[in-house]
Amino acid sequence: MITAYPTTASSVSSRCQTCTIREIVLFADLTSSDFDSIHGKIEYKVFSPGEMIFDRGSAGDFLYTIHSGLAKLVRRADDGRDRIVRVLRQSDLLGIEALATKQYANDAIALTPLQMCKIPLRVIQELNRLSPRLHARLMEKWQQALQDAEDWIADLNFGTAKKRVANLLLRMRHPDQPHVSTVFSRADMGAMLDLKFETVSREISAFVQNGAIVQIDNMGRVFEIKDEAQLRRA
Amino acid sequence: MITAYPTTASSVSSRCQTCTIREIVLFADLTSSDFDSIHGKIEYKVFSPGEMIFDRGSAGDFLYTIHSGLAKLVRRADDGRDRIVRVLRQSDLLGIEALATKQYANDAIALTPLQMCKIPLRVIQELNRLSPRLHARLMEKWQQALQDAEDWIADLNFGTAKKRVANLLLRMRHPDQPHVSTVFSRADMGAMLDLKFETVSREISAFVQNGAIVQIDNMGRVFEIKDEAQLRRA
DNA sequence: CGAGCGCTTGACCGGCGTCAACACCCGTGG
DNA sequence: CCACGGGTGTTGACGCCGGTCAAGCGCTCG
């Protein structure tokens, strides 16, 4: 991905045609001439962990596609506690809701170093006319977002702390390395699972002691899954 | 609504034009001639509480719009416990996900007596060509569904039992009677909030004792909200 | 009037939150 | 190179919230 994308923002949209993940994002079906019409309107942006991408309620004029890294959607409760509503990863879209409501529904914050394309909503609307199949793509993305949100409710926010942490570990496995799982700070995990970070830490430690997982890095973020069945049983 | 819809299924689509809630569902922008082309393809259906509308994983060939009543989307966990993922009400769509994935993502079950229109997906796809603005409508609906799911996570599945029950009571207020709230069986409430039904019962009783709410019916389903501030504080 | 279902209430216990101390990793500057 | 300090993770002690088990009530419908 990095090879396909320069870290400068110059002449970015022309790069879309050579983007290695183009097929899995929005513009898979566009022709070269389609691209000419949006030339120069798409920005390539980089965020560092903790950086805010946009905030809830502000005017949503752009839509973002993730090239690499992770972002979290957050709501701040009245009492100040943060609730992570969803985590987005490669080829996910940030801010689709603005297509319908003109404003963002959540705070969006980078969770890891993050590389994204920033696309004006107007471009999407233009392209609707050019590419009838873009609609289908958008629908798929929308469906995926809904699916993720429902999975979030059903898997990560149901049952005991042990179950929740186990499900998160399973969900955060690396796609092409199913026995390696990378997680977040204990505080973020707590905000995802509705648990205190001490509880998360305890459950992880318990899994390590039981031999279900083994810590790989030296910061407690990367684990090897030794006994997947135990995690599933939880 | 009942006056606009017969309980028989005969000649239903012609009725769409006179439907009193047409403006808030999908076909607001269609012309009379558009309707002619879909004549006879839309079924009007009635479900009673507890009846299953469709089940997770089955082929999704139809989309439903709710005219009156409530439906729940349910996932059954491995250990047999049910989790209510979302509740749908008037003018919501059931089964939109089938537009993208061809199958239903959850079980759908009637929560109250339920009146719906059952629309073949093919009709929706046809209408896409006829009415460019139907897309916008669909997008709004999809956005609404996503918004609901995220609200569900942020409001109803976060914090103490007291907070959750309070938020549910607030959410279930009657649109035009903001101090009246109608809820479900304690078991269903538990499946929504990830609480045991005894806990839900206790919290409700506590609110009654504190004078925050007053029971109106004799089955513990309808309450008058006396002290909204207390519910918000929770 | 009796059966059955849903709601309530109580007693008890376990899981998770709370508060606190400490270990570890890292960057910084001497 | 080491000393220091802050951020993050771990671990312990304790208390409370909510789960569990159980009994009893009230409504509805046969």
Side-chain angles (χ1 to χ4, degrees), chain B residues 160-161 194-196 198-199 202-203 218:
Chain B
T160 63
D194 193 19
L195 298 171
K196 298 298 154 187
E198 298 97 326
T199 304
R202 268 184 253 274
E203 297 302 336
N218 48 10

Side-chain angles (χ1 to χ4, degrees), chain B residues 179-223:
Chain B
H179 55 292
V180 175
S181 185
T182 302
V183 293
F184 319 98
S185 79
R186 302 296 175 265
D188 276 337
M189 292 175 76
M192 292 178 207
L193 306 174
D194 193 19
L195 298 171
K196 298 298 154 187
F197 71 91
E198 298 97 326
T199 304
V200 175
S201 177
R202 268 184 253 274
E203 297 302 336
I204 297 235
S205 298
F207 281 133
V208 171
Q209 297 234 333
N210 296 342
I213 58 177
V214 173
Q215 185 171 335
I216 292 179
D217 68 340
N218 48 10
M219 272 188 298
R221 301 298 178 88
V222 188
F223 294 88

Side-chain angles (χ1 to χ4, degrees), chain A residues 10 29 77 96 98 115 130 148 167 179 181 188 212 224-226:
Chain A
S10 65
D29 302 318
I96 6 173
Q115 309 185 26
L130 297 173
D148 285 351
N167 281 330
H179 54 292
S181 184
D188 276 337
E224 186 183 351
I225 297 175
K226 290 289 192 185

Side-chain angles (χ1 to χ4, degrees), chain A residues 160-161 195-196 198-199 202-203 218:
Chain A
T160 64
L195 298 172
K196 297 299 153 185
E198 297 97 326
T199 304
R202 269 185 253 274
E203 298 300 337
N218 48 13

Side-chain angles (χ1 to χ4, degrees), chain B residues 15-74:
Chain B
R15 295 271 180 172
C16 283
Q17 297 180 68
T18 60
C19 173
T20 52
I21 65 165
R22 184 158 73 96
E23 63 194 49
I24 50 179
V25 290
L26 281 180
F27 305 132
D29 302 319
L30 299 187
T31 64
S32 292
S33 65
D34 290 338
F35 272 110
D36 293 343
S37 69
I38 58 171
H39 182 77
K41 290 178 179 172
I42 297 178
E43 252 183 279
Y44 180 70
K45 301 206 79 175
V46 175
F47 294 85
S48 28
E51 203 171 341
M52 177 155 297
I53 300 147
F54 53 71
D55 55 336
R56 173 169 163 85
S58 65
D61 300 323
F62 299 91
L63 182 151
Y64 299 79
T65 72
I66 298 183
H67 286 282
S68 72
L70 298 170
K72 58 180 174 181
L73 299 181
V74 184

